[in-house]
Amino acid sequence: TQLLEQSPQFLSIQEGENLTVYCNSSSVFSSLQWYRQEPGEGPVLLVTVVTGGEVKKLKRLTFQFGDARKDSSLHITAAQPGDTGLYLCAGVYGGATNKLIFGTGTLLAVQP
Amino acid sequence: DTEVTQTPKHLVMGMTNKKSLKCEQHMGHRAMYWYKQKAKKPPELMFVYSYEKLSINESVPSRFSPECPNSSLLNLHLHALQPEDSALYLCASSQVGGRDSGEQFFGPGTRLTVL
C-alpha cells in the first residue's frame, strides 16, 4: 500500500520557470524528508521537516510541511538544468521502526 | 566521512551464479538498509538491520540473503536470481529510530543485470 502520493508524476519545463511538487498522504508522519536522485546515483537528502506548518528554504528550493503533518510541498524558483532529477518525498511512519516510506516520485526535466 | 560506498558498481550475472553486493559506511550509523529500485520508480525497501540484527524483511525471496558482519559493513548475497531481479540495488545507513531514521545516507548503488 502506497501511503505517499506525489504529483505531478512527470514535469518538463524551461529554464527559469517556477514549479511546485506535492506530496500527500492520509497518514501522519513524525518527520518527512525530501530527496533528489540523479541518474545512476543514490538519492541525496535535501531537507527534513518535523513540525506542522514548518517552512524551510534551501537556496531556490522552499519546502513546506502541512499543519496536520500529512502533506508537504516543494517549490523551486527559477529552475535550472542542474535541478533535473527524480524528486522523492519520504516519511518515517510510526516513528519507531526505521521504516522509511517513499512517495511515488516526481521526475523533473529542466530544458536549457 | 559522510560517504556510503558500494561495490561493485555494475554486475552482470547468470541465473545460476552466486554473487555478493557489498556496502560500507563509517559514520557510526547503527541502522543499515538494502533497497531495490527499478527505473524512474521510488526505492523499495528490502531489509533493515538495526544494531547488526535483522529487524525488517519485507517478504523478500530467499534468493536474496543479507548479512551484517559488523556495524560498518552490509552484504547482500545473491543466488539463483531471475531476470526480473535486474535493478539498481541501493544501500543506505542512518541513526536508529524515530525522526533520525528518516535521514538516510545512500550509496551510489549497484546496477545488477541478470541474464
Side-chain angles (χ1 to χ4, degrees):
Chain A
T1 301
Q2 185 56 259
L3 296 177
L4 280 168
E5 294 287 338
Q6 286 183 237
S7 61
Q9 189 176 0
F10 301 100
L11 191 56
S12 180
I13 61 173
Q14 294 296 123
E15 182 175 0
E17 292 185 32
N18 301 332
L19 66 117
T20 301
V21 178
Y22 298 94
C23 174
N24 295 301
S25 173
S26 57
S27 302
V28 175
F29 290 90
S30 58
S31 70
L32 194 138
Q33 285 72 32
W34 283 93
Y35 290 83
R36 178 172 66 213
Q37 184 176 22
E38 297 183 16
E41 299 294 331
V44 174
L45 179 67
L46 297 175
V47 78
T48 295
V49 286
V50 297
T51 305
E54 183 176 5
V55 176
K56 281 192 173 179
K57 291 183 183 292
L58 183 66
K59 297 183 181 178
R60 294 175 293 101
L61 279 60
T62 302
F63 304 86
Q64 186 162 7
F65 202 14
D67 291 340
R69 292 187 290 130
K70 293 182 178 181
D71 53 82
S72 181
S73 64
L74 158 61
H75 183 78
I76 301 179
T77 303
Q80 299 178 0
D83 296 326
T84 293
L86 179 65
Y87 287 81
L88 297 158
C89 64
V92 177
Y93 183 60
T97 63
N98 284 355
K99 186 169 180 175
L100 190 62
I101 307 296
F102 276 95
T104 48
T106 295
L107 192 59
L108 171 66
V110 182
Q111 311 297 335
Chain B
D1 183 1
T2 59
E3 188 180 41
V4 176
T5 59
Q6 288 187 245
T7 55
K9 192 161 179 63
H10 300 276
L11 179 62
V12 179
M13 60 186 292
M15 289 188 283
T16 59
N17 293 157
K18 286 185 180 181
K19 297 287 184 182
S20 296
L21 308 185
K22 297 184 182 300
C23 174
E24 188 168 4
Q25 59 89 14
H26 294 287
M27 291 177 278
H29 290 161
R30 301 304 294 275
M32 296 187 76
Y33 311 78
W34 280 115
Y35 290 89
K36 174 184 177 181
Q37 187 179 29
K38 292 284 196 178
K40 300 179 182 178
K41 297 294 185 182
E44 300 172 30
L45 183 65
M46 300 175 71
F47 303 103
V48 180
Y49 274 84
S50 180
Y51 297 107
E52 295 87 68
K53 294 193 186 307
L54 185 64
S55 60
I56 296 177
N57 176 341
E58 291 286 280
S59 302
V60 178
S62 60
R63 57 185 184 268
F64 295 91
S65 176
E67 178 195 21
C68 190
N70 60 55
S71 60
S72 299
L73 295 174
L74 187 66
N75 298 322
L76 186 63
H77 303 298
L78 314 174
H79 174 54
L81 294 192
Q82 304 297 311
E84 59 265 30
D85 296 322
S86 298
L88 182 68
Y89 287 83
L90 293 163
C91 173
S93 70
S94 76
Q95 302 289 352
V96 173
R99 297 169 177 174
D100 290 340
S101 67
E103 298 191 341
Q104 298 188 8
F105 290 77
F106 284 83
T110 293
R111 174 71 60 189
L112 174 67
T113 302
V114 182
L115 302 177

